[in-house]
Amino acid sequence: MNRFNVRKVAVLGAGVMGAQIAAHLVNVRVPVILFDLPAKEGPKNGIVSKAVEGLKKLKPAPLGVPEEAALIEQANYEEHLDRLGECDLIIEAIAERMDWKLDLYRRIAPALAPHAIVASNTSGLSITTLSEALPESIKPRFCGIHFFNPPRYMALVELIDTPATTPEVLDQLEAFVTTALGKGVVRAKDTPNFIANRVGIAGMLATIKEAETFGLGYDVVDDLTGKKLGRASSGTFRTADVVGLDTMSHVIRTLQDNLGEGKRIADPFAPMYATPPVLGRLIEQGALGQKSGAGFYKKVGKDILRLDPAKGDYVPAGGKAEPLIDRMLKKAPAERLKLLRESSNPQAQFLWAILRDGFHYAAVHLADIAESARDIDFAMRWGFGVKQGPFELWQAAGWQQVAEWVKADIDAGKALSSAPLPAWVFDGRSGVHTPEGSWSPAKNAYIPRRTLPVYQRQHFPEDVIGAGGVEPLKSGTEVFSNEEVRVWTLDGEVLIASITAKLHLISPTVAEGLQVALDRAEAGYKGLVIWSPDDVFSAGANLEALMPVFMKSGAKGIAPELKKFQDFMLRLRYAQVPVISAVRGIALGGGCELAVYSSRRVAAMESYMGLVEVGVGLVPGAGGLTYIARRAAEMASAANAGADILKFVTDGFTNAAMAKVGTSAIESRKLGYLLWSDVIVPHKDELLFVATQQARAMFDSGYRPPARTPFPVAGRSAIATIKGQLANMRDGGFISAHDFHISALIADVVCGGEVDAGSLVTEEYLMALERKHFCSLLENPKSQERIMGMLQTGKPVRN
């Protein structure tokens, strides 16, 4: 596959977006130079330096680990313009002022490399107008690139071309943004606010209007328009507070300035773009949302208050959807929409109104803003966190029936515009998404997805409902399955084991299925990949599945089951073919142990790994502590022959005792659950491809498992040192007596028990210690309280 080689990127503008785009480039190991104006006082890079320091404090964290902010090179336009010549991609991300952007383009143009792609990260300015300031030689390499905030976490990137942009440039940029940055790309037309913000902000304005119409409080609206509706958990008004009310107002102003009678583009919905009075008042008062401490919501101490617009003051929040509405929202789409539309309940009427408004708006504007209906649905999924885009939900609920309902409301004057639905809506179709493609009114045809070479790396790409996408767990050739594991292959060379249990919890049934998978892989395949097609690798051991054994035989009954898990982990480590754990999402407890005992790990960027058993009053029991001890010995040996092992075991002990979880694949590597030899994959849908490639390459290179050798441990003196520190924490009230007890048992295992420092031990020996302490804690009333608390409430009990 030919690809555009991006060796270095320049980001122009160290504001909120520019700095965070630079941070994400660092996360994915793309070298980056961050530019801004020279500071008027002090060091010339002062503006950039302040922005880079600020990245370390932001939440959610834009960096995988804060210290990697140092990898962002700093520059200013006065001293370092010549460095632009080093860069293959220039991303301009300065303030949304057309005159400022045009002035900057004229200034940088002479310094650009002749092959460099230049892209403007604007949320709504005309890309074609921006391009007019560039020399003719650069125009073919210029386009829009719109990241969503925060760039690390939001999947959507919109690419926008101009009449002069060469198709090859957009293809190259799409490939880079997809594979290197891990994003979902939607190509948008050069219209105000492009696709996601055009549809999304219109939806938020409609929600504000309909909330007023039906007299609903902001907290109730957020409960109705959050997870219950298949949208982001923050709902509508909390989302506005997080984004910033001034930012929202700016995006609305772009709509006001460009859409409507006598404006750049006619729009029958123009009246709804008026700034809501409540939003205007809040901005006048400086209440800009979360960043200013108040907006639609305000936090006072531990209390969350919501604005009551009638009183002009904040009142206690906490309003929820009525139980009747909860029940309606759990129904299948067709029944759900019918119940909402026909109900006299104000909350139901409100929900039908905002859904109807969304269908209406998307249908009327589809031809003008997007190539196909798929682009709108993907833009809303990836940019606004909805589970289904408007066309997906409409199609799933019954296209023609919903169309008639929307038409009836338009005719009755209930809709936000009198614009009729387009004629194509009523041409007898059953939807806009089909296996052959998605509907494009502009081309009067169903448009298939682009087939760029980069998408060959996605065995099971995310798809829209109705497109007939292949289900991973029904694909390939099945080799074996039981109730909780499917073993299958795509190519006849590498086996794939997919855990299908809830949260992919590891039960005896799962362990049995993985054992069969390993047996089959060693018998006739090049390797085994453990992968599942969702955001959970494994949440750990299934304690509930072991409860009947414990109730019947106590800890003595659990010990043999635990030994089976441990023996399987060693089988993984010493397998005759490479075993690759393809980690995506959470890998906790036993899931983390499964990963670290594999031959190699291929992890998605957003992977969260850790040994968290102390949360249920236990110690890691399937080899996690043994792994920490072995890694400490390996690191000490690599440092020098006489290195103090305690120095290397301390971090691993702390991570397990405090149940630290890596909040990214990068931090998981720092904690030791991923190694530098492991592969971090930015795009979640490329994980399986990379994992199978790794297994095949390792086998073809003559893979042999590591040799079984004893290794030195820190011994009893190190245990005493750690316990002394724990005693100080206990006596100071920082940990409970039971925390002290559990942590002391962890120290006992990772330091090798009651042996002299430097004594050689085996993995089996340490696993026996793990098993002993795990089972002793099962009999401890304090641990039993923690286990039952977690099973009943899902939250840890501190006792």
Side-chain angles (χ1 to χ4, degrees):
M1 179 181 78
N2 293 326
R3 65 176 183 174
F4 183 62
N5 189 13
V6 179
R7 292 160 294 188
K8 185 174 288 186
V9 176
V11 176
L12 311 182
V16 173
M17 284 301 292
Q20 290 198 63
I21 291 169
H24 188 60
L25 287 162
V26 164
N27 289 337
V28 297
R29 294 298 182 263
V30 175
V32 59
I33 310 175
L34 181 60
F35 281 79
D36 211 302
L37 295 166
K40 293 179 180 178
E41 297 178 0
K44 289 288 179 71
N45 285 340
I47 293 173
V48 176
S49 297
K50 183 178 179 181
V52 170
E53 280 301 305
L55 290 171
K56 302 175 185 178
K57 304 167 188 172
L58 281 179
K59 298 293 180 185
L63 290 156
V65 288
E67 53 267 32
E68 290 195 348
L71 297 178
I72 299 173
E73 297 183 57
Q74 302 180 18
N76 65 80
Y77 303 128
E78 182 179 301
E79 298 177 306
H80 306 119
L81 276 185
D82 60 311
R83 298 207 59 196
L84 291 172
E86 305 170 19
C87 301
D88 305 296
L89 172 62
I90 316 296
I91 298 175
E92 172 271 303
I94 69 170
E96 294 283 284
R97 282 273 302 267
M98 180 72 76
D99 54 340
W100 290 1
K101 289 178 184 282
L102 295 178
D103 181 63
L104 180 61
Y105 293 173
R106 295 185 189 99
R107 191 172 179 184
I108 66 170
L112 301 178
H115 68 281
I117 294 175
V118 184
S120 174
N121 179 67
T122 174
S123 60
L125 295 179
S126 168
I127 303 302
T128 301
T129 304
L130 287 171
S131 72
E132 292 169 0
L134 292 167
E136 292 300 319
S137 61
I138 296 177
K139 286 181 180 179
R141 296 180 275 121
F142 179 77
C143 63
I145 183 170
H146 182 209
F147 289 84
F148 275 66
N149 192 21
R152 171 184 163 185
Y153 301 95
M154 299 305 293
L156 179 63
V157 168
E158 293 174 317
L159 297 183
I160 310 96
D161 64 358
T162 75
T165 309
T166 59
E168 178 187 55
V169 162
L170 229 58
D171 289 350
Q172 290 171 339
L173 193 54
E174 180 166 347
F176 171 73
V177 168
T178 300
T179 284
L181 305 189
K183 300 303 177 187
V185 171
V186 166
R187 295 195 187 183
K189 295 185 180 181
D190 190 9
T191 56
N193 288 349
F194 311 127
I195 297 176
N197 274 345
R198 179 77 174 271
V199 176
I201 294 299
M204 293 180 79
L205 290 170
T207 299
I208 294 172
K209 172 66 177 171
E210 302 292 6
E212 285 182 11
T213 299
F214 294 100
L216 302 181
Y218 302 140
D219 47 357
V220 172
V221 169
D222 280 348
D223 192 50
L224 288 167
T225 60
K227 284 188 175 180
K228 292 173 181 176
L229 203 62
R231 299 182 177 181
S233 58
S234 52
T236 301
F237 294 100
R238 280 191 179 86
T239 296
D241 274 358
V242 171
V243 169
L245 303 190
D246 53 341
T247 302
M248 183 177 173
S249 176
H250 171 80
V251 178
I252 294 170
R253 197 174 307 117
T254 302
L255 298 176
Q256 295 167 349
D257 293 345
N258 291 279
L259 300 172
E261 192 173 342
K263 304 285 178 66
R264 177 180 156 198
I265 299 173
D267 188 333
F269 286 80
M272 71 178 280
Y273 302 143
T275 302
V278 64
L279 180 63
R281 286 195 298 272
L282 286 170
I283 292 173
E284 283 176 14
Q285 296 163 10
L288 306 180
Q290 187 171 284
K291 60 187 171 187
S292 68
F296 289 107
Y297 293 91
K298 181 179 182 180
K299 188 172 183 180
V300 179
K302 294 184 178 180
D303 297 326
I304 302 294
L305 308 179
R306 69 162 174 87
L307 180 68
D308 184 333
K311 296 180 179 178
D313 200 0
Y314 290 89
V315 299
K320 299 287 184 183
E322 294 178 17
L324 170 67
I325 308 302
D326 282 343
R327 292 194 293 273
M328 288 183 183
L329 292 178
K330 291 176 182 175
K331 302 291 185 181
E335 185 179 1
R336 183 193 322 154
L337 265 59
K338 184 175 188 294
L339 289 170
L340 292 173
R341 184 174 187 271
E342 294 178 354
S343 174
S344 60
N345 184 291
Q347 292 185 12
Q349 292 177 335
F350 160 77
L351 285 173
W352 162 250
I354 63 170
L355 292 172
R356 174 205 65 215
D357 296 339
F359 300 149
H360 186 194
Y361 192 89
V364 168
H365 289 94
L366 173 57
D368 299 323
I369 68 174
E371 182 181 58
S372 76
R374 176 177 52 249
D375 293 325
I376 287 183
D377 281 345
F378 272 160
M380 294 308 295
R381 269 206 218 175
W382 296 338
F384 278 78
V386 305
K387 286 187 177 178
Q388 295 178 335
F391 290 119
E392 291 181 279
L393 177 57
W394 184 348
Q395 182 165 328
W399 184 270
Q400 290 300 328
Q401 177 61 79
V402 173
E404 292 296 338
W405 288 339
V406 175
K407 181 181 183 300
D409 279 12
I410 296 170
D411 294 344
K414 296 179 180 179
L416 295 180
S417 168
S418 60
L421 288 171
W424 58 262
V425 170
F426 298 101
D427 63 5
R429 69 181 53 247
S430 59
V432 290
H433 301 308
T434 70
E436 63 183 290
S438 292
W439 180 248
S440 171
K443 295 186 178 179
N444 196 35
Y446 289 96
I447 306 296
R449 296 182 73 164
R450 280 184 297 282
T451 55
L452 298 178
V454 66
Y455 294 118
Q456 295 172 13
R457 296 169 59 88
Q458 299 181 10
H459 288 306
F460 302 103
E462 189 173 343
D463 213 340
V464 288
I465 295 171
V470 181
E471 292 185 46
L473 296 183
K474 294 181 180 178
S475 299
T477 302
E478 186 170 296
V479 174
F480 168 83
S481 67
N482 63 21
E483 295 88 347
E484 297 183 331
V485 175
R486 181 181 190 243
V487 182
W488 52 293
T489 181
L490 282 171
D491 57 11
E493 290 190 339
V494 177
L495 270 189
I496 304 164
S498 298
I499 304 173
T500 58
K502 182 181 179 182
L503 293 176
H504 306 167
L505 294 173
I506 302 172
S507 66
T509 305
V510 168
E512 174 195 324
L514 294 177
Q515 183 89 1
V516 172
L518 187 51
D519 290 341
R520 301 287 176 89
E522 287 183 325
Y525 292 85
K526 289 187 173 183
L528 173 65
V529 171
I530 303 173
W531 172 86
S532 299
D534 56 22
D535 286 323
V536 179
F537 178 71
S538 172
N542 189 337
L543 296 177
E544 204 165 357
L546 294 172
M547 194 62 72
V549 177
F550 180 73
M551 297 301 291
K552 180 180 179 181
S553 307
K556 289 182 180 179
I558 297 295
E561 296 296 330
L562 185 57
K563 187 171 188 308
K564 290 179 185 176
F565 284 152
Q566 294 176 333
D567 290 345
F568 175 68
M569 294 301 179
L570 291 177
R571 270 222 62 202
L572 276 185
R573 174 163 164 74
Y574 297 108
Q576 295 303 305
V577 293
V579 178
I580 312 295
S581 278
V583 180
R584 170 181 164 194
I586 59 174
L588 304 178
C592 183
E593 289 168 315
L594 184 62
V596 300
Y597 274 86
S598 300
S599 313
R600 182 168 292 175
R601 289 135 297 278
V602 173
M605 176 62 68
E606 298 307 324
S607 296
Y608 310 104
M609 302 178 69
L611 298 172
V612 297
E613 285 82 353
V614 295
V616 288
L618 300 172
V619 297
L625 300 182
T626 300
Y627 168 80
I628 289 171
R630 176 173 56 76
R631 283 289 299 145
E634 291 169 352
M635 289 188 289
S637 175
N640 65 71
D644 180 7
I645 298 174
L646 176 59
K647 176 183 173 183
F648 295 92
V649 85
T650 300
D651 284 347
F653 160 78
T654 303
N655 295 339
M658 296 182 66
K660 284 189 178 180
V661 174
T663 55
S664 66
I666 298 170
E667 188 176 11
S668 296
R669 177 182 276 162
K670 181 182 176 184
L671 296 180
Y673 301 130
L674 295 175
L675 307 181
W676 281 102
S677 57
D678 295 330
V679 181
I680 296 177
V681 180
H683 201 296
K684 61 182 178 59
D685 290 342
E686 295 185 3
L687 194 63
L688 180 59
F689 171 84
V690 176
T692 52
Q693 291 287 93
Q694 287 285 312
R696 193 179 294 110
M698 290 170 70
F699 181 90
D700 290 343
S701 299
Y703 176 79
R704 299 291 298 170
R708 287 179 181 258
T709 58
F711 50 86
V713 289
R716 63 171 66 86
S717 59
I719 297 172
T721 300
I722 293 174
K723 287 177 73 172
Q725 295 168 344
L726 290 171
N728 290 336
M729 294 178 69
R730 178 197 60 200
D731 296 344
F734 296 103
I735 61 174
S736 69
H738 195 51
D739 290 328
F740 172 87
H741 177 59
I742 297 170
S743 298
L745 296 181
I746 291 173
D748 190 53
V749 180
V750 298
C751 294
E754 289 297 318
V755 298
D756 294 334
S759 295
L760 298 179
V761 302
T762 64
E763 288 166 302
E764 289 84 355
Y765 163 80
L766 290 177
M767 284 184 171
L769 271 182
E770 279 188 40
R771 194 163 62 248
K772 170 187 170 185
H773 294 329
F774 185 95
C775 291
S776 73
L777 286 167
L778 280 176
E779 303 280 12
N780 189 301
K782 292 284 187 183
S783 286
Q784 290 173 1
E785 286 177 16
R786 293 192 183 186
I787 293 169
M788 294 310 297
M790 181 62 75
L791 291 176
Q792 291 170 0
T793 68
K795 297 179 181 179
V797 173
R798 306 311 304 176
N799 57 1

